[in-house]
């Protein structure tokens, strides 16, 4: 491992406060709007990841004992730096992910809100105390840092999802190793460098870029105490099983297939506008995207389709660098091919393709991975486009007769990340949010992504583990409870030996 790189445009690793390169394996990073690559990313070897773990372990004792207020101040400073560099970070996201700049700013802002929440850590780490639990006995619980912890993140929110994890982990006194997505690694590394500028000591946050080799090293090394993962369900399941097998605390957030129920009494204009953003924003590459509308009644379905077709006709698709565009390209060529194949399969399985985005060409960007918005009617359970996460700009309408039928569909689906209902009926909305087997629910809100001071997580096969990401659950995930029971008998008081189990009887 060294500090020089023969190819300058290569994304390396951040270890012990330094950008380093191991000059081993690497892969190109593409601009999805042009199909061209001007950067590559190193894929860390086991030895490089082990160096990051050693650096984090070395930094831990001093950081654990740094007063929480000082740790919190680093977060406050980082928030300011992130705001100052927002345009630069958004440009990095757009160049590698493809999303429109305004959308990149939106994800960064959500990430900043997690940094802001982490800056309240002094409040959040106050323990619990009970006086006089027995004669002259007080008891309290405190929340201690775990040690070296890691986070493995997906391509679709390259800046925000890392910020769901490491700010709270380090604010709680841990040292963190981040493994960002190798498809769009630049913004996460840049943000980590800003954290150093904000005062984070070297080694408290290390970044290793890489693939399975890096991840497997983190999963199996006994010095790593906890793993946060966000990505697809097959990998989440693997991370959970492997991490648990190696004695680690694991939270692994997976994929999704979110349904929006539209009731006959809904404000159709609002529901159409909400669905346009929820289905096609960020090209459908969001785990809270809504790729399925469950319309209650044929009239509701017909009205939604009329509204959606009119709005889709107005959509602008093009490079994310132009904020006039509503939607950018898909992230990579293989992903583009995969989404297109889903559309083919929907047609082959008998769904009705009302809007076909497969032929879209963006002038001047012929090599970009652009797919136009697609709209299907008569989607049915069992079809591939109903069952599987497409992660593209493909919206399907499922027709049902009753709310109960809609809810049964949602409950029977393997994923349970998010869902929403559009209605003017408070009783229906309350019944839906009370009973539906999904972790995050919106009522007339299409993307019910919890704010930073709540926590984020799905149910069923959308999350493996117990605690959700960020918010109050993150404080619990990144700390272990220690309960101390203390007695100071009055001078001269002696008690005989007690052989029965201590109780307050
Ligand atoms: P992915 O599962 O392909 O990759 C996620 C991370 O896992 C990356 O860092 C990658 O390098 C690593 N990885 C990939 N294959 C691996 C393997 N075989 N062994 C070990 N590590 C491996 O996911 P993605 O395509 O980057 O992201 C999209 C997915 O993430 C979608 O399924 C989406 O729903 C999901 N997602 C979920 C949430 C959530 O909160 N539930 C949020 C964002 C994204």
């Amino acid at each position: 491992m060294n500090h020089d790189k023969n190819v300058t445009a290569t994304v390396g690793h951040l270890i012990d406060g330094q950008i380093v390169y191991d000059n081993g394996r690497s892969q190109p990073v593409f601009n999805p709007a042009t199909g061209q690559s001007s950067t590559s990313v190193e894929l860390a070897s086991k030895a490089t990841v082990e160096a990051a773990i050693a650096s984090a372990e070395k930094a831990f004792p001093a950081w654990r004992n740094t007063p929480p207020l000082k740790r919190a101040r680093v977060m406050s400073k980082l928030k300011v730096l992130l705001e100052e560099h927002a345009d630069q970070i958004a440009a990095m996201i757009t160049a590698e992910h493809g999303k429109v700049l305004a959308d990149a700013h939106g994800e960064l802002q959500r990430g900043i809100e997690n940094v802001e929440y982490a800056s309240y850590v002094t409040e959040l780490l106050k323990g619990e105390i009970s006086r006089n639990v027995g004669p002259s006995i007080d008891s309290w619980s405190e929340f201690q840092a775990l040690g070296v912890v890691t986070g493995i993140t997906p391509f679709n929110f390259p800046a925000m999802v890392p910020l769901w994890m490491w700010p709270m982990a380090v604010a709680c006194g841990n040292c963190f190793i981040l493994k960002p997505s190798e498809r769009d690694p630049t913004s996460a590394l840049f943000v980590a460098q800003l954290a150093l500028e904000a005062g984070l000591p070297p080694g408290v946050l290390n970044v290793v870029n890489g693939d399975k080799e890096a991840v497997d090293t983190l999963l199996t090394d006994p010095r790593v105490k906890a793993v946060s993962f966000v990505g697809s369900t097959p990998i989440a399941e693997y991370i959970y099983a492997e991490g648990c097998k190696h004695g680690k605390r694991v939270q692994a957030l997976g994929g999704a297939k979110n349904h929006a129920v539209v009731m006959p009494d809904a404000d159709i204009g609002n529901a159409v506008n909400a669905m346009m953003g929820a289905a096609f924003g960020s090209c459908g590459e969001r785990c809270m995207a809504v790729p399925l509308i469950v319309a209650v009644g044929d009239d509701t379905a017909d009205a939604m389709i009329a509204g959606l077709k009119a709005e889709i006709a107005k959509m602008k698709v093009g490079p994310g660098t132009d904020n006039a565009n509503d939607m950018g390209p898909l992230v990579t060529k293989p992903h583009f091919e995969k989404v297109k194949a889903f559309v083919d399969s929907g047609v082959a399985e008998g769904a009705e393709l009302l809007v076909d985005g497969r032929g879209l060409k963006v002038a001047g960007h012929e090599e970009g991975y652009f797919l136009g918005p697609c709209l299907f009617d008569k989607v049915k359970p069992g079809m591939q486009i109903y069952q599987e996460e497409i992660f593209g700009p493909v919206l399907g309408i499922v027709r049902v007769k009753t709310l109960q039928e809609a809810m049964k569909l949602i409950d029977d689906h393997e994923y349970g990340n998010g869902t929403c209902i559009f209605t003017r009926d408070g009783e229906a909305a309350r019944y839906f949010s009370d009973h539906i087997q999904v972790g995050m629910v919106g009522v007339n809100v299409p993307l019910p992504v919890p704010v930073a001071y709540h926590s984020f997580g799905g149910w069923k096969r959308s999350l493996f583990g117990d605690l959700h990401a960020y918010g109050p659950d993150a404080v619990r995930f990144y700390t272990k409870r220690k309960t101390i029971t203390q007695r100071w008998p009055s001078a001269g008081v002696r008690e005989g030996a007690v052989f029965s189990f201590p109780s307050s009887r």
Side-chain angles (χ1 to χ4, degrees), residues 151-157 160-161 164 179-184 210-216 219 229-236 238-239 252-257 285-288 331 335 389 391 415 417 440 456-458 462-463 469:
I152 298 146
T153 55
F155 81 83
N156 66 321
F157 287 107
M160 179 184 76
V161 172
W164 283 3
K179 207 302 283 171
S181 171
E182 63 275 40
R183 287 186 251 176
D184 46 14
D211 56 6
K212 189 170 167 49
E213 181 173 344
V215 173
D216 285 346
L219 285 178
F229 173 86
V230 176
S232 59
T233 285
I235 310 299
Y238 166 75
I239 300 277
L253 283 71
K257 190 79 179 179
E285 293 168 318
R286 292 178 180 147
C287 69
M288 289 296 275
V331 66
H335 189 57
E389 182 180 47
F391 231 52
Y415 295 122
N417 214 39
M440 293 172 283
F456 182 108
S462 292
L463 189 149

Side-chain angles (χ1 to χ4, degrees), residues 47-60:
T48 296
V49 178
E50 285 175 342
I53 298 171
S55 153
E57 205 184 38
K58 186 170 70 138
F60 178 60

Side-chain angles (χ1 to χ4, degrees), residues 47-48 93 179 245 356 382 404:
T48 296
I93 297 171
K179 207 302 283 171
K245 195 167 96 191
D356 185 354
Q404 280 65 27

